[in-house]
Amino acid sequence: MAGKPIVFIDGGDTLVVEGSIKRDENDVVQSTDPVPGALETLRWLKDNGYTVCMVDDVKNQSVTNVFMANGHLDCFAAVSTSEEAGVAKPAAGIFENAMKKLGLSQEDKKKIIMVGNSCRNDIAGANRFGITSVLMDWSPRHNMTPQNADEVPDYIIHRPDELPELLERLERRNGG
Ligand SMILES: [Mg+2]
């Protein structure tokens, strides 16, 4: 556990394909397709002892619906949604809520990485909150060019299955 990064991760276009999302009349997600390699990567993280928290601007029930259906809800140690935190990314409150739910201390904070596809929400949110930011630019849906210094990611990966190698690199850096 010493140097193991703690993984905060976005949903839409990071783990699930935003364009495939089907919602009901209450804006609750009913189903969606995974990003290729995302579920395998979640399972790898779980099997290898990483703490993973989904941090996403959705309703709690949406996360439950999608990840119960695909059998990977157990890969998350916690879930922090905008519904629960009362604020959406990039606001600090949704990240603070994730830390609280995982019982993390200020000392743990330097081990947290946030993986997401939005420079404006995921990357700027992580950078301002003071955690490591990882842009996953798999989806062409958003502008991947940082618009200001806050939106510049610490690391860039292109697909979910590139995450394990990055984590192992960061773990060595952390002295794990
Ligand atoms: Mg997203």
Side-chain angles (χ1 to χ4, degrees):
M1 177 68 191
K4 241 180 174 41
I6 296 159
V7 181
F8 287 5
I9 195 159
D10 167 58
D13 278 349
T14 299
L15 291 174
V16 300
V17 181
E18 215 158 287
S20 75
I21 292 176
K22 293 183 180 62
R23 300 171 195 272
D24 69 10
E25 62 280 8
N26 298 315
D27 206 33
V28 173
V29 177
Q30 298 303 300
S31 67
T32 175
D33 298 328
V35 169
L39 298 182
E40 294 81 355
T41 300
L42 277 178
R43 186 56 61 198
W44 184 91
L45 292 169
K46 164 92 174 175
D47 289 347
N48 286 275
Y50 287 91
T51 299
V52 179
C53 182
M54 185 156 178
V55 178
D56 207 4
D57 299 335
V58 289
K59 294 187 171 174
N60 287 26
Q61 191 60 43
S62 298
V63 179
T64 308
N65 286 349
V66 170
F67 289 92
M68 278 288 267
N70 66 30
H72 285 69
L73 193 58
D74 69 300
C75 295
F76 301 113
V79 173
S80 177
T81 64
S82 52
E83 178 184 39
E84 194 177 75
V87 289
K89 292 177 287 187
I94 192 165
F95 300 103
E96 278 162 5
N97 184 57
M99 283 186 69
K100 196 173 90 188
K101 290 189 81 173
L102 291 170
L104 299 178
S105 65
Q106 286 304 306
E107 184 60 23
D108 296 321
K109 195 169 173 180
K110 51 174 167 286
K111 291 187 287 186
I112 304 172
I113 69 162
M114 173 68 204
V115 184
N117 71 310
S118 166
C119 288
R120 189 164 55 100
N121 299 332
D122 300 309
I123 303 306
N127 288 342
R128 289 186 204 129
F129 188 58
I131 58 178
T132 300
S133 56
V134 180
L135 177 68
M136 196 183 83
D137 63 2
W138 173 83
S139 163
R141 204 176 310 277
H142 291 288
N143 183 2
M144 293 292 169
T145 309
Q147 301 300 301
N148 57 60
D150 281 353
E151 295 187 2
V152 178
D154 294 315
Y155 299 93
I156 299 175
I157 58 174
H158 311 298
R159 302 186 314 268
D161 64 7
E162 291 178 7
L163 192 54
E165 193 190 316
L166 173 64
L167 288 171
E168 285 169 348
R169 192 146 60 92
L170 291 173
E171 194 169 340
R172 286 194 295 274
R173 183 200 70 179
N174 293 351

